[in-house]
C-alpha cells in the first residue's frame, strides 16, 4: 500500500494533480513595444528630413587609440531602429499567442533601440555631436548614491525592517563625510566618517522599531526630518562661520585602472573612478553573493519572511534585524559621501534631494534583489542624465519635460516589464514571541 | 532519552493554560496527548521546546534538570518539534529550510548547499520520504511539507520528536505514510509525543495516552480503550462519534453548476468541465484526495477564484458575474479550507472577526459608525454557542488555540440566514466534542432547507454527513453516488477510495467486490478492533 501511493504523493502535479495546458502570458510587453514604435514613427521618423545626419561621439580625450566620431544618416538609422521595434512587437505578440513567456533580452533591445532613436532624432542635422561616453559616465555618477541606497534598502527589508530613513542616512553621510574630510584634511577619513554617520541613523531606526515597536515608516520619516533640520542648522551656523575649516572641498582622487580603463567607451566610464565607486562594485557583487549563498543571507531572508520559523531554529530575530539595520545604515551613509567627497563638492543644504526615496523605488523595481536594484538605479541615473545632456546640447524639447524623463521611463518600466513583485512577507511587522 | 515534565505551569494573563502538568515519556515510546481544543497541548509542547518560559515546574532529561532559554537550547538537548502551523519559509528550498539555523558553512560563512542537499537526501532515503532537496516549499503539498519538518528535526538528531496535530492536514494516504514513518522512528529509538484529535490514529499507534482537560492532566488511558471511552475521557461527557441524522427531505435543485472550468495563470486546468446540482435540504459531499480541484471549485462558488467557462446558478440566477460581497449578502456561507490565512484577520479581535461579513449592516452598524456594544454582544453569544474557549472576546484571535480559531470562522459563517452553505474541511483540527456539535449544525442547516456542500478529504466525515457524494479526481467529477443505496446499504469505503484514485463508478464497484479484503486491510486497521 505504502509503496503504491508514494510516488503519487511526492509528485502531486503528475500523480493526483490536474493536467496542464499552456500558461497565460501577459500582453503588456507587446503594448509597450508597440507604443515605443508608434512614438518613434510619428514623433521622430516623420519629423526627420531625409538628408540629415546625426554624429555619435564614442571617444574621450584620454583615449590611447583615438576613436573617430561616427556620423549616421538620421532617417535611415531611424527606420532601421523602427523596424527593430516593430519586429520585437511582432515577436512578443507571437510569443503571447503561443503562450510562451518573453525572454528578458527583448526588453533590453527595445529599450536601447528607443533611446538610440530618440538621440538620433535629437542630433539630426546638428553640428553638435551626441557624446556617448559622457552620457554613460554621467549616468553612472547619478546612479552611485541610488545604488548604495538601494543596497541599504535590500539589507534592511530582507530582514523585515522598512528603511525609509535611507534619505536621512545619505544626507548625514554626505554631511559627516564632508566635515570630517575637511577638518582632518583627508578625503579618505571622510569615507570612514560617512558610514559611521549612516550607521548611527540606522541604529536609531532599529532602536525605535525593534525595542519600542514603533511604526517603522513613521520612525523613518521622523529621522529624515530630524537629519534635514540638524544638518541644515549646522550648515548655516558652524559650517558657514568657518567654511575653510569645516566645509572645504575635499575631492577623492580618481584611480585609473590600467588596461581596463583603455577599453573603448566603457573603460573610461567604469574604470577611471574614485575608490568609492570601486567599493560600490564590490558591494553589489558581494551582497548578491552573500544574500543567497551565505549563512548571513539565509538567516536574513528567513527573519524577513517568517520570523517565527527562524525563532524556532534558535535564530535571534530581533538581534539580526538590529544588526542588519545598522549595516544598511552604514552602507547608505557611505553612499552619501558620494555627494560630497565623492564628487569633490562641499556640503550643501538638503543636497540628497530625495534620492533616498528614489533608491527605495529602485529597490522595489528591482524586486528586492541586489542586481535588479542596481539595474533600476542605473535606469534612473541614465534617464536623468539623458535629460541633462539633452538640455545642454539644446534639443528643442522643453527642459521641464526632460526633467520628467526619469519618472516617465520608470512608469513605463514598471507597467511593461516588472511582473508580480512580492516583498518579504514579514516586512514592517515587529516580532515578539507570544 | 527519558523525558520528564514536572509541575509545568503556564499562565496567559488570567488564563491558566497549563496547570501543574506532569508527563513522562520513556525512551522509544510513542506517547499520545489527547485533549479538547484549548486544553493546553500546544502550550505544553511550546514550553518543552523552549518557545515559552514556564511560570513553574521543571523539565528533566534522563533525570537531570534542563532549562531552555530558547528553542536553540531545546534542539541541542535533542528535542525536535513539528508545529501545528508549519514553521517553514515558503520561498526557501527544502535544502535551505533544513539547513536554516544549523547551516553547514565554509570559509566566511559561505553555505555549503551541496552538504545540505546531501543531508536531506540521506534522511529522505532512509525513511523513504521521496523529498526533492531543491523543490521550493510553497510548491509542495502539505504532506510533503510535513516531511520536510520531520527531516528538519531528524537532521538535528532529535531523540524526542514532538508532532503537534501532524495529521490534521494530511490525506488518508499521507496519514498512513506518517504512521509508518513514526513506527520506523520508534524502532530506531526515538521517542515521540503525538498530539491528535483522531482517536483512530491514537489507538493504532500510541503506547501510552495522557489526557488533558482545561490545562490539567485528567488521566491516562490505555491504547486498547475504545474510541468512545477515549472521547468521553477527553471531553468529560459522553460523545456520539457518528452523525445522527434523519434521511434527507430534498426539494428543488436550487444550486446548479454547469460546465464549470478553472484554469490557473500557469495554464494548469484545475477544474475541468464539471456539472452537478444540489437540492434544497441536501448535503452533497465533495470527496477526493487533496489538490484535485475541490479547493478551486469552492473558491469559484464564492468568487475568490475566477471561472474560465461555465455557469453557477443559485436560486435560478447566474452568480458568476457578481462580486464576493454580493454573493455573501445573497446568502452564501463559506468556510475556507485554510482558515488561519483565509478565514480570519489575525490581528483583529475575536469579536471583530465574528462580524467580518456583516460589519457594515444593522445591527452592527448605524450609518457609517459601528456599534461596539452589539458587536460584543454578538461575540459573547456566538462564542458561548460554539464553545470557543477564550479569555475575552476583545483579545486578538491569534491568542486562540488552533481549534478554537476555527470555531470562530464556523460560528461566523453559520449564524446568518443562508441560501447555500459551502464548507471546506469543516472539522479539520477540531476535537471530537466540537465535531459532534459542528456536524449537528450542518445537519440542522440542511433540515432548514439549505443546500449544503461539504468539501472533505476525510472519508469518515463524508460517509457520516453526505446524502450524495461527488468524487473529484484531476479536476473532474469521477462520479456522483448516493450515500445510501436503494437497498439501504451505505456506499462502501472501498468504492470511494477507488474513485478517489480516478476509477469510474462502475469499475470501482466491480473491483471493490473482487478485492475487498486487500483494500479493507489497508484501511489503517480500524476494522481489527
Ligand atoms: N499567546 C497566547 N496568549 C494568550 N492566550 C493563549 C496564547 N496561546 C494560547 N493561549 C490560550 O491557551 C489555551 C491553550 O491553548 P493551546 O494552543 O495550548 O490549546 P491546544 O490544546 O493546543 O488546542 P487545539 O487542539 O485547538 O490546538 C487556549 O485557551 C488559548 O486561547
Ligand atoms: Mg494546538
Amino acid at each position: 500500500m505504502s509503496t503504491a501511493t508514494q510516488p503519487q504523493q511526492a509528485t502531486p502535479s503528475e500523480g493526483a494533480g490536474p493536467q496542464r495546458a499552456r500558461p497565460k502570458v501577459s500582453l503588456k510587453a507587446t503594448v509597450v513595444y508597440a507604443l515605443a514604435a508608434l512614438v518613434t514613427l510619428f514623433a521622430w521618423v516623420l519629423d526627420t528630413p531625409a538628408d540629415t545626419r546625426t554624429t555619435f561621439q564614442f571617444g574621450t580625450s584620454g583615449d590611447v587609440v583615438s576613436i573617430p566620431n561616427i556620423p549616421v544618416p538620421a532617417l535611415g538609422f531611424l527606420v532601421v531602429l523602427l523596424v527593430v521595434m516593430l519586429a520585437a512587437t511582432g515577436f512578443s505578440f507571437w510569443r503571447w499567442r503561443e503562450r510562451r513567456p518573453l525572454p528578458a533580452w527583448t526588453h533590453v533591445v527595445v529599450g536601447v533601440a528607443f533611446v538610440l532613436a530618440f538621440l538620433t532624432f535629437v542630433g539630426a542635422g546638428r553640428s553638435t555631436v551626441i557624446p556617448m561616453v559622457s552620457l554613460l559616465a554621467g549616468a553612472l555618477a547619478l546612479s552611485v548614491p541610488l545604488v548604495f541606497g538601494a543596497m541599504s534598502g535590500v539589507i534592511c527589508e530582507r530582514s523585515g525592517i522598512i528603511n525609509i530613513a535611507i534619505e536621512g542616512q545619505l544626507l548625514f553621510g554626505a554631511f559627516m563625510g564632508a566635515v570630517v574630510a575637511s577638518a582632518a584634511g583627508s578625503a579618505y577619513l571622510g569615507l570612514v566618517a560617512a558610514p559611521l554617520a549612516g550607521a548611527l541613523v540606522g541604529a536609531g531606526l532599529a532602536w525605535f522599531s525593534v525595542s519600542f515597536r514603533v511604526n517603522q515608516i513613521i520612525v523613518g520619516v521622523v529621522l529624515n526630518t530630524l537629519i534635514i533640520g540638524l544638518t541644515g542648522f549646522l550648515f548655516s551656523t558652524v559650517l558657514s562661520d568657518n567654511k575653510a575649516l569645516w566645509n572645504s572641498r575635499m575631492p577623492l582622487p580618481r584611480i585609473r585602472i590600467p588596461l581596463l580603463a583603455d577599453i573603448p567607451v566603457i573603460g573610461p566610464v567604469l574604470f577611471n573612478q574614485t575608490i568609492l565607486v570601486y567599493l560600490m562594485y564590490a558591494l553589489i557583487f558581494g551582497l548578491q553573493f552573500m544574500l543567497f549563498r551565505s549563512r548571513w543571507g539565509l538567516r536574513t531572508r528567513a527573519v524577513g519572511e517568517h520570523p517565527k520559523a527562524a525563532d524556532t531554529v534558535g535564530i535571534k530575530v530581533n538581534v539580526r534585524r538590529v544588526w542588519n539595520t545598522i549595516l544598511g545604515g552604514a552602507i547608505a551613509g557611505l553612499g552619501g559621501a558620494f555627494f560630497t567627497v565623492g564628487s569633490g563638492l562641499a556640503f550643501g543644504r538638503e543636497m540628497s534631494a530625495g534620492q533616498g526615496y528614489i533608491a527605495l523605488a529602485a529597490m522595489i523595481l528591482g524586486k528586492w534583489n541586489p542586481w535588479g536594484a542596481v539595474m533600476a538605479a542605473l535606469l534612473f541615473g541614465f534617464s536623468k542624465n539623458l535629460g541633462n545632456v539633452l538640455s545642454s546640447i539644446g534639443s528643442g524639447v522643453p527642459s521641464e519635460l526632460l526633467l520628467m524623463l526619469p519618472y516617465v521611463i520608470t512608469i513605463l518600466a514598471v507597467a511593461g516589464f516588472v511582473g508580480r513583485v512580492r516583498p518579504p512577507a514579514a516586512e514592517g511587522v515587529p516580532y515578539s514571541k507570544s | 532519552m527519558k523525558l520528564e515534565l514536572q509541575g509545568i505551569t503556564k499562565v496567559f494573563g488570567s488564563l491558566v493554560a497549563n496547570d501543574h502538568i506532569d508527563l513522562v515519556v520513556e525512551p522509544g515510546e510513542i506517547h499520545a496527548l489527547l485533549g479538547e481544543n484549548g486544553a493546553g497541548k500546544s502550550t505544553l509542547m511550546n514550553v518543552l521546546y523552549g518557545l515559552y518560559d514556564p511560570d513553574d515546574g521543571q523539565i528533566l532529561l534522563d533525570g537531570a534538570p534542563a532549562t531552555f532559554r530558547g528553542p536553540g537550547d531545546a534542539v541541542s538537548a535533542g528535542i525536535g518539534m513539528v508545529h501545528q502551523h508549519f514553521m517553514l519559509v515558503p520561498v526557501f528550498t527544502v535544502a535551505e529550510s533544513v539547513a536554516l539555523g544549523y547551516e553547514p558553512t565554509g570559509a566566511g560563512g559561505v553555505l555549503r548547499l551541496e552538504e545540505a542537499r546531501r543531508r536531506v537526501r540521506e534522511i529522505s532515503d532512509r525513511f523513504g520520504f521521496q523529498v526533492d532537496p531543491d523543490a521550493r516549499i510553497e510548491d509542495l503539498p502539505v504532506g510533503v511539507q510535513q516531511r520536510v519538518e520531520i527531516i528538519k528535526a531528524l537532521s538535528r538528531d532529535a531523540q524526542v520528536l514532538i508532532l503537534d496535530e501532524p495529521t490534521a492536514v494530511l490525506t488518508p494516504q499521507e496519514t498512513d505514510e506518517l504512521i509508518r514513518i513514526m513506527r520506523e522512528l520508534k524502532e530506531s529509538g526515538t521517542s515521540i509525543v503525538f498530539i491528535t484529535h483522531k482517536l483512530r490514529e491514537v489507538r493504532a499507534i500510541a503506547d501510552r495516552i495522557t489526557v488533558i482537560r482545561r490545562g490539567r492532566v485528567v488521566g491516562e488511558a490505555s491504547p486498547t480503550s475504545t474510541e468512545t471511552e477515549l472521547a468521553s475521557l477527553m471531553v468529560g461527557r459522553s460523545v456520539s462519534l457518528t452523525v445522527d441524522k434523519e434521511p434527507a427531505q430534498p426539494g428543488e435543485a436550487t444550486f446548479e453548476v454547469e460546465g464549470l472550468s478553472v484554469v490557473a495563470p500557469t495554464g494548469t486546468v484545475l477544474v475541468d468541465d464539471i456539472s452537478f446540482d444540489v437540492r434544497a435540504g441536501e448535503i452533497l459531499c465533495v470527496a477526493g484526495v487533496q489538490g484535485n480541484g475541490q479547493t478551486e471549485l469552492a473558491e469559484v462558488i464564492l468568487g475568490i477564484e475566477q471561472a474560465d467557462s461555465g455557469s453557477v446558478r443559485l436560486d435560478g440566477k447566474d452568480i458568476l458575474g457578481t462580486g464576493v460581497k454580493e454573493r455573501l449578502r445573497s446568502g452564501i456561507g463559506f468556510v475556507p479550507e485554510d482558515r488561519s490565512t483565509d478565514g480570519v484577520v489575525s490581528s483583529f479581535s475575536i469579536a471583530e472577526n465574528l462580524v467580518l461579513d456583516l460589519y457594515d449592516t444593522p445591527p452592527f452598524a448605524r450609518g457609517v459608525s459601528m456599534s461596539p456594544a452589539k458587536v460584543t454582544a454578538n461575540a459573547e453569544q456566538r462564542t458561548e454557542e460554539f464553545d470557543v474557549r477564550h479569555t475575552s472576546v476583545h483579545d486578538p484571535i491569534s491568542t486562540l488555540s488552533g481549534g478554537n480559531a476555527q470555531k470562530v470562522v464556523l460560528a461566523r459563517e453559520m449564524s446568518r440566514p443562508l441560501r447555500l452553505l459551502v464548507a471546506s474541511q469543516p472539522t479539520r483540527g477540531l476535537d471530537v466534542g466540537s465535531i459532534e456539535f459542528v456536524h449537528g449544525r450542518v445537519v440542522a442547516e440542511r433540515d432548514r432547507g439549505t443546500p449544503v456542500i461539504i468539501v472533505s478529504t476525510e472519508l469518515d466525515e463524508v460517509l457520516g454527513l453526505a446524502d450524495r457524494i461527488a468524487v473529484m479526481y484531476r479536476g473532474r467529477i469521477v462520479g456522483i453516488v448516493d450515500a445510501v443505496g436503494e437497498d439501504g446499504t451505505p456506499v462502501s469505503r472501498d468504492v470511494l477510495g477507488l474513485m478517489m484514485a480516478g476509477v469510474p463508478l462502475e469499475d470501482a464497484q466491480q473491483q471493490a467486490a473482487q478485492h475487498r479484503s486487500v483494500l479493507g486491510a489497508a484501511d489503517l486497521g480500524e476494522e481489527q478492533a
Side-chain angles (χ1 to χ4, degrees):
Chain A
M1 154 98 205
S2 60
T3 42
T5 54
Q6 255 176 36
Q8 184 191 352
Q9 289 165 12
T11 52
S13 55
E14 293 155 40
Q19 73 220 53
R20 300 210 142 247
R22 293 247 168 84
K24 290 176 193 162
V25 175
S26 153
L27 198 57
K28 261 195 279 179
T30 312
V31 173
V32 174
Y33 293 179
L35 272 179
L38 283 179
V39 169
T40 309
L41 178 63
F42 288 104
W44 304 332
V45 173
L46 298 181
D47 252 11
T48 306
D51 49 356
T52 52
R53 283 171 181 280
T54 300
T55 311
F56 290 97
Q57 181 195 46
F58 287 102
T60 57
S61 50
D63 285 343
V64 187
V65 189
S66 77
I67 306 163
N69 290 349
I70 303 174
V72 294
L75 189 59
F77 193 46
L78 272 174
V79 170
V80 170
L81 293 171
L82 178 62
V83 169
V84 169
M85 281 181 246
L86 288 175
T89 312
F91 175 67
S92 68
F93 185 70
W94 172 73
R95 292 291 279 230
W96 173 77
R97 288 262 316 259
E98 294 279 296
R99 290 189 158 196
R100 281 162 62 188
L102 212 54
W105 58 261
T106 47
H107 300 334
V108 179
V109 167
V110 173
V112 169
F114 187 70
V115 169
L116 278 179
F118 184 42
L119 292 173
T120 311
F121 165 72
V122 169
R126 287 167 183 274
S127 53
T128 42
V129 295
I130 304 290
M132 295 305 279
V133 171
S134 68
L135 199 58
L136 294 177
L140 181 66
L142 287 172
S143 309
V144 172
L146 297 180
V147 170
F148 276 106
M151 296 300 112
S152 162
V154 169
I155 291 175
C156 296
E157 303 219 347
R158 281 282 186 172
S159 73
I161 301 280
I162 299 176
N163 188 2
I164 294 281
I166 296 174
E167 175 71 9
Q169 291 156 356
L170 285 174
L171 187 60
F172 205 39
F175 176 85
M176 290 304 286
V179 169
V180 169
S182 169
S186 155
Y188 287 105
L189 275 182
L191 282 194
V192 177
L196 290 177
L200 192 66
V201 182
L205 176 65
W207 190 42
F208 281 104
S209 46
V210 171
S211 305
F212 301 114
R213 304 162 56 100
V214 183
N215 182 304
Q216 296 163 9
I217 294 181
I218 294 177
V219 180
V221 171
V222 168
L223 283 172
N224 288 343
T225 317
L226 181 74
I227 302 289
I228 290 175
L230 180 71
T231 54
F233 167 73
L234 291 174
F235 175 71
S236 55
T237 54
V238 183
L239 264 57
S240 30
D241 288 350
N242 191 348
K243 201 161 182 307
L245 173 62
W246 293 116
N247 198 14
S248 54
R249 298 171 41 186
M250 294 296 295
L252 282 170
R254 279 182 189 273
I255 304 165
R256 199 184 148 84
I257 300 187
L259 295 177
L260 285 178
D262 297 328
I263 304 171
V265 189
I266 61 161
V269 174
L270 295 177
F271 300 111
N272 185 18
Q273 293 286 4
T274 63
I275 178 115
L276 191 53
V277 176
Y278 298 128
L279 281 175
M280 179 183 84
Y281 300 158
L283 176 67
I284 295 168
F285 287 103
L287 185 58
Q288 180 75 35
F289 180 81
M290 294 299 277
L291 196 55
F292 297 102
R293 286 278 171 277
S294 77
R295 169 165 52 198
W296 169 80
L298 191 72
R299 292 185 171 193
T300 293
R301 287 184 291 135
V303 162
E305 290 284 347
H306 195 336
K308 182 132 200 219
D311 193 3
T312 58
V313 291
I315 295 171
K316 306 256 182 302
V317 175
N318 285 329
V319 173
R320 167 85 24 179
R321 287 184 168 178
V322 167
W323 280 115
N324 273 26
T325 311
I326 292 174
L327 177 65
I331 285 171
L334 184 62
F338 188 79
F339 290 118
T340 51
V341 290
S343 316
L345 296 175
F347 181 79
R349 190 191 287 270
E350 285 181 50
M351 72 189 309
S352 55
Q355 301 278 298
Y357 301 109
I358 303 284
L360 214 54
M363 175 202 70
I364 293 170
L365 204 58
K367 302 185 183 183
W368 284 266
N369 272 329
W371 260 122
V374 168
M375 291 303 142
L378 286 174
L379 182 69
F380 276 118
F382 181 80
S383 38
K384 192 158 183 201
N385 192 43
L386 189 63
N388 293 349
V389 169
L390 290 179
S391 29
S392 73
I393 62 175
S395 61
V397 184
S399 62
E400 289 80 5
L401 282 183
L402 288 174
L403 286 179
M404 285 168 48
L405 205 61
Y407 309 103
V408 173
I409 290 184
T410 308
I411 289 172
L412 285 181
V414 174
F417 310 134
V418 178
R420 204 185 314 152
V421 291
R422 185 164 63 174
E427 184 186 81
V429 188
Y431 181 72
S432 68
K433 264 197 176 153
S434 43
Chain B
M1 188 165 68
K2 179 172 173 168
L3 168 76
E4 282 168 89
L5 300 181
Q6 292 181 345
I8 297 289
T9 301
K10 178 71 193 173
V11 181
F12 293 114
S14 61
L15 180 107
V16 186
N18 287 166
D19 189 358
H20 295 92
I21 290 190
D22 299 320
L23 187 75
V24 181
V25 183
E26 301 288 344
E29 169 184 83
I30 297 182
H31 196 124
L33 217 49
L34 278 185
E36 298 169 281
N37 295 127
K41 308 178 296 290
S42 298
T43 304
L44 182 68
M45 291 304 112
N46 282 332
V47 168
L48 171 57
Y49 192 61
L51 271 171
Y52 292 156
D53 289 329
D55 295 301
D56 196 8
Q58 61 172 350
I59 301 168
L60 302 179
L61 298 175
D62 284 333
T67 35
F68 300 147
R69 243 169 270 106
D73 292 351
V75 171
S76 32
I79 295 172
M81 177 157 177
V82 176
H83 294 260
Q84 190 166 3
H85 306 289
F86 294 159
M87 292 296 162
L88 294 169
V89 181
V91 297
F92 277 14
T93 65
V94 171
E96 285 176 330
S97 310
V98 172
L100 185 67
Y102 303 85
E103 302 86 353
T105 50
V110 175
L111 288 179
R112 293 212 311 270
L113 272 179
E114 201 31 63
E115 165 89 25
R117 284 194 201 97
R118 198 182 52 70
R119 251 197 231 170
V120 173
R121 263 189 236 109
E122 215 174 77
I123 298 172
S124 174
D125 288 349
R126 196 167 91 220
F127 295 97
F129 284 179
Q130 309 216 347
V131 175
D132 170 13
D134 291 313
R136 287 237 282 184
I137 297 293
E138 60 190 349
D139 300 334
L140 295 174
V142 276
V144 181
Q145 290 190 14
Q146 180 161 65
R147 281 178 227 174
V148 176
E149 284 280 29
I150 296 174
I151 293 177
K152 249 169 82 178
L154 295 182
S155 75
R156 280 141 218 181
D157 298 323
Q159 290 159 46
V160 178
L161 184 61
I162 305 165
L163 301 171
D164 192 353
E165 288 191 42
T167 57
V169 292
L170 298 190
T171 63
Q173 291 91 326
E174 286 171 331
T175 302
D176 284 358
E177 197 56 26
L178 179 70
I179 286 183
R180 183 188 64 78
I181 290 164
M182 285 168 67
R183 290 212 172 103
E184 222 154 291
L185 286 170
K186 177 184 155 171
E187 293 294 301
S188 62
T190 313
S191 342
I192 297 176
V193 182
F194 179 49
I195 300 178
T196 185
H197 291 294
K198 298 182 187 168
L199 303 174
R200 190 138 61 92
E201 295 164 7
V202 175
R203 298 183 52 239
I205 192 161
D207 298 317
R208 268 207 292 169
I209 303 170
T210 297
V211 182
I212 299 181
R213 201 188 314 149
R214 297 187 187 252
R216 295 215 182 107
V217 173
V218 291
E220 282 213 5
S222 132
T224 53
S225 341
T226 65
E227 290 188 22
T228 325
E229 281 165 10
L230 289 176
S232 50
L233 190 54
M234 221 168 118
V235 185
R237 62 181 166 86
S238 69
V239 183
S240 149
L241 294 174
T242 51
V243 183
D244 303 316
K245 67 178 196 331
E246 300 296 311
Q249 311 285 334
E252 296 274 291
T254 54
F255 181 75
E256 296 150 294
V257 171
E258 216 176 289
L260 186 74
S261 291
V262 177
V263 182
T266 54
T268 315
V269 179
L270 300 170
V271 174
D272 193 358
D273 187 24
I274 66 174
S275 305
F276 63 90
D277 54 31
V278 190
R279 290 168 291 178
E282 172 188 60
I283 299 175
L284 176 81
C285 277
V286 179
V289 176
Q290 183 99 45
N292 276 287
Q294 308 98 308
T295 313
E296 290 76 15
L297 170 65
E299 290 181 352
V300 166
I301 295 174
L302 184 69
I304 49 182
E305 171 89 58
Q306 215 65 37
D308 276 59
S309 57
S311 71
V312 176
R313 284 193 301 278
L314 177 60
D315 296 325
K317 285 194 299 275
D318 195 337
I319 57 170
L320 275 188
T322 60
V324 176
K325 189 164 176 177
E326 216 172 314
R327 293 190 208 187
L328 285 174
R329 294 289 148 85
S330 71
I332 298 182
F334 182 81
V335 179
E337 179 185 323
D338 187 348
R339 287 172 276 273
S340 55
T341 57
D342 300 339
V344 297
V345 180
S346 59
S347 56
F348 281 18
S349 70
I350 300 167
E352 286 164 334
N353 270 294
L354 277 166
V355 294
L356 277 186
D357 51 343
L358 296 175
Y359 67 95
D360 59 348
T361 53
F364 304 122
R366 258 174 288 124
V368 292
S369 64
M370 284 178 71
S371 61
K374 294 274 167 39
V375 173
T376 306
N378 171 68
E380 300 287 1
Q381 199 186 333
R382 295 284 164 265
T383 48
E384 170 75 39
E385 189 183 345
F386 279 77
D387 189 24
V388 177
R389 302 280 165 85
H390 65 289
T391 322
S392 151
V393 294
H394 300 297
D395 285 344
I397 195 158
S398 54
T399 61
L400 287 186
S401 80
N404 281 305
Q406 315 227 19
K407 287 196 240 170
V408 170
V409 181
L410 289 162
R412 182 182 69 218
E413 296 299 325
M414 295 181 64
S415 304
R416 54 197 152 95
L418 293 180
R419 299 292 306 149
L420 172 71
L421 175 64
V422 182
S424 295
Q425 316 292 353
T427 56
R428 175 178 283 178
L430 296 194
D431 65 45
V432 283
S434 308
I435 292 176
E436 181 190 29
F437 172 76
V438 169
H439 282 169
R441 288 291 296 235
V442 170
V443 171
E445 195 62 54
R446 176 199 78 167
D447 292 342
R448 210 170 296 143
T450 311
V452 177
I453 300 176
I454 301 290
V455 176
S456 180
T457 54
E458 209 67 48
L459 269 184
D460 285 330
E461 179 163 81
V462 169
L463 288 166
L465 271 181
D467 298 316
R468 279 194 302 155
I469 302 166
V471 182
M472 280 186 81
Y473 178 70
R474 295 195 175 197
R476 289 171 172 275
I477 290 187
V478 182
I480 301 183
V481 289
D482 288 332
V484 180
E486 267 145 40
D487 53 357
T489 53
V491 59
S492 89
R493 299 173 76 93
D494 297 341
V495 170
L496 287 181
L498 282 164
M499 286 171 76
M500 283 163 78
V503 181
L505 174 60
E506 262 147 47
D507 296 357
Q509 281 167 337
Q510 268 175 20
Q511 283 185 35
Q514 286 159 16
H515 302 287
R516 159 151 271 138
S517 55
V518 182
L519 283 159
D523 204 42
L524 240 180
E526 111 271 28
E527 258 92 69
Q528 302 161 7

